Amino acid sequence: MTHAIRIHQTGGPEVLRWEEVDVPAPAAGEARVRHHAVGLNFIDTYHRTGLYPLPLPAGIGLEGAGVVEAVGEGVTEVKIGDRVAYAGGPVGAYAEVRNIPSHRLLKLPDTIGFNTAAAMMLQGLTAAYLLRKTYRVQPGDAVLIHAAAGGVGLIACQWAKALGATVIGTVGSEAKAVLARAHGCDHVINYSTENFSQRVREITGGEGVPVVYDGVGKDTFMGSLDSLRPLGMLVTYGNASGPVPPFDLLLLSQKGSLFVTRPTIMHYTAKRADLEALGGELFGVVPSGQVRIEVNQTYPLADAAQAHRDLEARKTTGSTILLP
């Protein structure tokens, strides 16, 4: 028997249970992967609390890296022995071994290890679609990236800098400001002590930025709109501070005919060709050194509850992995 984290009800970290599970032979179109490392992401807490409902009981986790142990009928994307990684679902990554649709798996280059892969797939593919698809960053753009010292933030700041952007990042502490500066931020704003939208206006000579990447949600939403230049785009891709409350769409016209989008990795990687293209971009910038993946915390997979507590208390920086 193998083990996995399961939830039988929604709630706090205490609902995460380490249980024995049976992993059957992979069905047609599936591969069985033995994890070497599993990624921790804020969306996992949304599934645990029920903000993003799952049919219960359920596994949890959207990201992992390991080796293919078996394949089902009709599988052509991978073979037994391949080093692979994935992100974006279906849920169930908090497991020693699991079956997963083979079309979700990407083969890992030899230059990327399992820990790095598990730390970067969801956050890295998120940064890839944000910067290369949702709003395609161009040289000379000024961009605002919230939670610049978080997992997505550290990757996105480095990547945006490599693309030739002026990177403005927000953080919640001086320690995180130091981290953000070391990862591509030209300007760092501590939103616990400064009005970030006013600072963005000062930095941009009153113009505002063409895009804001906001994974914080409720606490930063209105300030993000106030940071945009006319026709700018607010990309709200997470709810770390809670979901954005309803607002009057007329505000968008009043503030400059603004755009707001709420993207998800699932839609941007739904087609195999799009997943491979974004994966190819990510697998290019990491080995080249343009983007460094910071694995700043590791926990035993069985201690996932403590990892969730630390993540929600904003005690973590960079990426966190769980080790089976």
Side-chain angles (χ1 to χ4, degrees):
M1 294 287 285
T2 186
H3 291 82
I5 295 286
R6 304 270 294 168
I7 56 172
H8 295 261
Q9 64 191 74
T10 58
E14 69 279 358
V15 304
L16 299 173
R17 299 186 189 175
W18 181 243
E19 298 180 347
E20 283 192 348
V21 294
D22 179 42
V23 181
E30 288 186 338
R32 186 171 70 225
V33 176
R34 178 167 294 277
H35 287 136
H36 286 237
V38 173
L40 174 75
N41 296 281
F42 233 103
I43 193 173
D44 303 345
T45 70
Y46 304 159
H47 287 143
R48 191 202 74 226
T49 61
L51 178 64
Y52 293 177
L54 296 173
L56 298 176
I60 193 170
L62 292 170
E63 172 181 47
V67 175
V68 175
E69 286 193 335
V71 296
E73 184 181 351
V75 169
T76 58
E77 297 89 352
V78 295
K79 64 182 185 302
I80 293 173
D82 279 349
R83 301 170 68 253
V84 296
Y86 64 90
V91 296
Y94 287 19
E96 293 174 324
V97 180
R98 73 171 299 191
N99 292 327
I100 188 168
S102 59
H103 68 85
R104 301 305 304 167
L105 297 172
L106 292 175
K107 294 181 185 179
L108 277 177
D110 292 339
T111 50
I112 297 177
F114 292 120
N115 286 10
T116 298
M120 79 178 196
M121 288 299 293
L122 189 61
Q123 295 164 349
L125 288 173
T126 298
Y129 82 71
L130 291 174
L131 299 172
R132 309 312 292 141
K133 293 288 187 181
T134 308
Y135 176 91
R136 192 171 179 85
V137 173
Q138 302 296 323
D141 280 344
V143 303
L144 175 61
I145 300 174
H146 286 302
V152 174
L154 288 180
I155 296 172
C157 288
Q158 294 177 82
W159 202 334
K161 184 67 175 176
L163 292 169
T166 297
V167 183
I168 307 168
T170 66
V171 296
S173 70
E174 186 51 41
K176 290 186 176 182
V178 171
L179 194 61
R181 289 189 189 97
H183 291 80
C185 278
D186 298 288
H187 306 274
V188 180
I189 303 167
N190 186 334
Y191 52 61
S192 66
T193 59
E194 299 178 272
N195 182 312
F196 71 84
S197 61
Q198 288 182 3
R199 285 285 293 122
V200 168
R201 293 288 173 182
E202 293 169 7
I203 291 166
T204 60
E207 182 180 357
V209 293
V211 64
V212 177
Y213 296 109
D214 189 344
V216 176
K218 175 174 63 70
D219 290 353
T220 51
F221 182 77
M222 293 306 297
S224 292
L225 292 179
D226 290 336
S227 301
L228 289 167
R229 72 186 187 192
L231 309 185
M233 177 182 288
L234 169 54
V235 184
T236 173
Y237 67 93
N239 309 296
S241 66
V244 175
F247 73 101
D248 186 350
L249 283 175
L250 193 60
L251 279 173
L252 301 181
S253 66
Q254 294 169 346
K255 293 179 180 294
S257 296
L258 304 179
F259 296 84
V260 176
T261 184
R262 182 59 172 88
T264 71
I265 190 173
M266 290 73 166
H267 292 129
Y268 275 86
T269 62
K271 296 179 180 178
R272 176 73 184 178
D274 292 334
L275 174 62
E276 290 180 333
L278 289 172
E281 294 220 39
L282 179 61
F283 294 162
V285 295
V286 171
S288 72
Q290 291 176 296
V291 172
R292 305 189 313 278
I293 305 300
E294 305 284 347
V295 181
N296 291 344
Q297 297 83 210
T298 62
Y299 300 80
L301 179 57
D303 291 343
Q306 186 59 49
H308 276 227
R309 291 187 189 99
D310 292 347
L311 180 67
E312 290 178 301
R314 301 193 181 184
K315 294 181 179 179
T316 64
T317 60
S319 297
T320 300
I321 58 172
L322 309 172
L323 300 178

